[in-house]
Amino acid sequence: MRTVDLRSDTVTLPPPAMREAMRRASLGDDVYGEDPTVRALEELAAEITGKEAALLVASGTMGNLVAILTHCGRGDEVILGDQCHTFLYEAGGIAALGGIHPHPIRNEPDGTIPLERIGAAIRPGNVHFPRSRLICLENTHNRCWGSPLSPEYTQAVAELAHQHGLAVHLDGARIFNAAVALGVEVRELTTPADSVTFCLSKGLAAPVGSVICGERGFIEEARRVRKMVGGGMRQAGIIAACGLVALRTMIPRLAEDHENARLLAQGIADIEGLEIEPDRVRTNILYFDLVRGDPEAFHYWARAKGVLFHRTGPRRFRLVTHYGITRPDIDYALAILAEAAGKLL
Ligand SMILES: *Cc1c(COP(=O)(O)O)cnc(C)c1O
């Protein structure tokens, strides 16, 4: 049976060039700093993001955790969006492992948080309060339809943070989707932040890995924290080799995923029984609602026909396009969604 897997861009499989690069990679012990392929990846990642240094980690979750543990001590506070991945989907790691106090404030539908709202959340010096130490942003914003944050907005948040002596960490799991969608260099989105994490294993199709980028001193400390959480990997060049192919060859093609997401949204808008705001699609993530009928049955029917996606609310579903989803896959998915919705009318 045909499968069209729209659950996430994490399901992407490495293209042949990555498997070949993995096979040929020069390796060493990266905890000793001796893996040349990891070093090459870290240098390229730092250059692309306009930072001094970079650090390969096992996942985006580990990247955010290590970065935040590096910025904050126990009892320090992180101001972050109430819809952000770090607050919702990282198993509470910053609190559990770092004793770090999350201070969630409301995200707008476009993934931003108004500057006044951030300003109001920053605590004055007072014995009653935790110390506000860090602001986290997410770009693109997963729960907010993959919305990209602009360079101007990122810059404005960084200025506000720095005025108050706070740092900014950017969860840039899909920062390359943002850069492609906005038509800007990725460094325009990353230089305002003090640190950034991005994923190699989502739209860029590498099998494993994320990278933290920042100033040299920050990355040196993060390297120690990575070891502490068990993330020091030995011949990690096998992973880094794929990351190099990802950064060198996979970024421009993200535009295809965005185009496919737009086509999906337009198609869904024409299906009776489904509701979507197609104009909200900016990158590769979209959400739609089932207006009537049993969402369980709808979901089941689509899955039975090989069209996979997540349910994210009582009547809400999420679709993510990626490398491995073709134009004919979009047509097939739309046909199945129409059939599934039609059964419930
Ligand atoms: C996927 C994702 C992460 C975490 O990545 P993993 O590699 O799955 O741990 C972090 N932030 C955002 C916004 C994500 O979408």
Side-chain angles (χ1 to χ4, degrees):
M1 186 183 62
R2 180 171 191 165
T3 300
V4 178
D5 193 344
L6 298 162
R7 289 174 301 167
S8 176
D9 44 11
T10 55
V11 303
T12 45
L13 298 177
M18 285 188 193
R19 294 178 187 252
E20 186 55 23
M22 194 185 289
R23 201 173 66 75
R24 291 169 178 269
S26 308
L27 303 174
D29 188 325
D30 182 54
V31 175
Y32 296 159
E34 292 172 4
D35 189 302
T37 311
V38 172
R39 293 172 81 132
L41 173 67
E42 290 175 345
E43 269 168 37
L44 179 59
E47 187 191 319
I48 290 176
T49 56
K51 299 294 182 198
E52 288 174 1
L55 183 69
L56 174 66
V57 289
S59 67
T61 299
M62 184 184 278
N64 288 331
L65 175 66
V66 167
I68 296 171
L69 286 174
T70 306
H71 282 294
C72 300
R74 299 187 72 80
D76 286 347
E77 176 179 76
V78 180
I79 295 167
L80 74 193
D82 65 351
Q83 298 300 308
C84 83
H85 195 278
T86 298
F87 183 56
L88 294 175
Y89 303 125
E90 296 177 11
I94 60 171
L97 304 175
I100 297 160
H101 184 63
H103 182 172
I105 55 177
R106 189 161 46 86
N107 276 115
E108 292 299 302
D110 66 357
T112 62
I113 309 167
L115 291 179
E116 316 78 69
R117 205 176 292 156
I118 297 175
I122 298 173
R123 316 274 186 171
N126 178 312
V127 71
H128 291 84
F129 299 140
R131 285 196 188 90
S132 302
R133 190 71 80 190
L134 182 70
I135 296 168
C136 287
L137 295 177
E138 183 173 311
N139 194 7
T140 65
H141 202 293
N142 187 333
R143 287 277 293 181
C144 298
W145 283 66
S147 298
L149 305 181
S150 70
E152 297 74 23
Y153 174 74
T154 313
Q155 182 65 44
V157 172
E159 277 169 22
L160 175 66
H162 297 155
Q163 273 164 21
H164 289 84
L166 276 66
V168 174
H169 173 67
L170 181 59
D171 176 358
R174 296 187 182 81
I175 196 73
F176 297 104
N177 293 84
V180 166
L182 296 169
V184 300
E185 294 291 326
V186 82
R187 61 172 58 214
E188 293 179 57
L189 300 171
T190 51
T191 45
D194 298 277
S195 59
V196 56
T197 304
F198 67 77
C199 289
L200 297 164
S201 61
K202 291 189 169 162
L204 301 186
V208 183
S210 287
V211 184
I212 309 171
C213 306
E215 282 177 6
R216 200 167 300 286
F218 176 85
I219 292 297
E220 271 169 30
E221 187 56 25
R223 196 174 289 280
R224 193 186 147 74
V225 174
R226 182 187 68 174
K227 191 78 184 79
M228 191 193 294
V229 299
M233 298 182 283
R234 302 298 176 170
Q235 285 74 42
I238 271 185
I239 293 169
C242 297
L244 282 166
V245 175
L247 292 181
R248 286 174 182 149
T249 68
M250 299 296 283
I251 297 171
R253 65 149 306 283
L254 293 171
E256 274 174 48
D257 300 341
H258 301 172
E259 180 57 19
N260 281 336
R262 268 192 292 276
L263 291 171
L264 255 183
Q266 282 160 11
I268 289 170
D270 290 335
I271 297 175
E272 208 188 329
L274 303 185
E275 204 164 67
I276 189 166
E277 299 171 79
D279 296 342
R280 287 189 68 182
V281 177
R282 302 289 307 280
T283 59
N284 68 327
I285 300 177
L286 56 118
Y287 293 82
F288 69 91
D289 290 316
L290 180 72
V291 185
R292 56 182 165 267
D294 177 11
E296 189 86 32
F298 171 78
H299 202 194
Y300 178 84
W301 178 260
R303 198 163 52 231
K305 297 282 181 159
V307 177
L308 311 183
F309 49 87
H310 283 307
R311 184 169 168 193
T312 61
R315 311 197 69 79
R316 178 153 292 192
F317 301 91
R318 185 187 80 164
L319 304 176
V320 183
T321 56
H322 52 81
Y323 180 69
I325 296 294
T326 61
R327 197 63 71 86
D329 289 334
I330 299 294
D331 296 337
Y332 179 74
L334 285 170
I336 297 303
L337 291 177
E339 210 172 295
K343 296 230 167 239
L344 303 171
L345 289 178

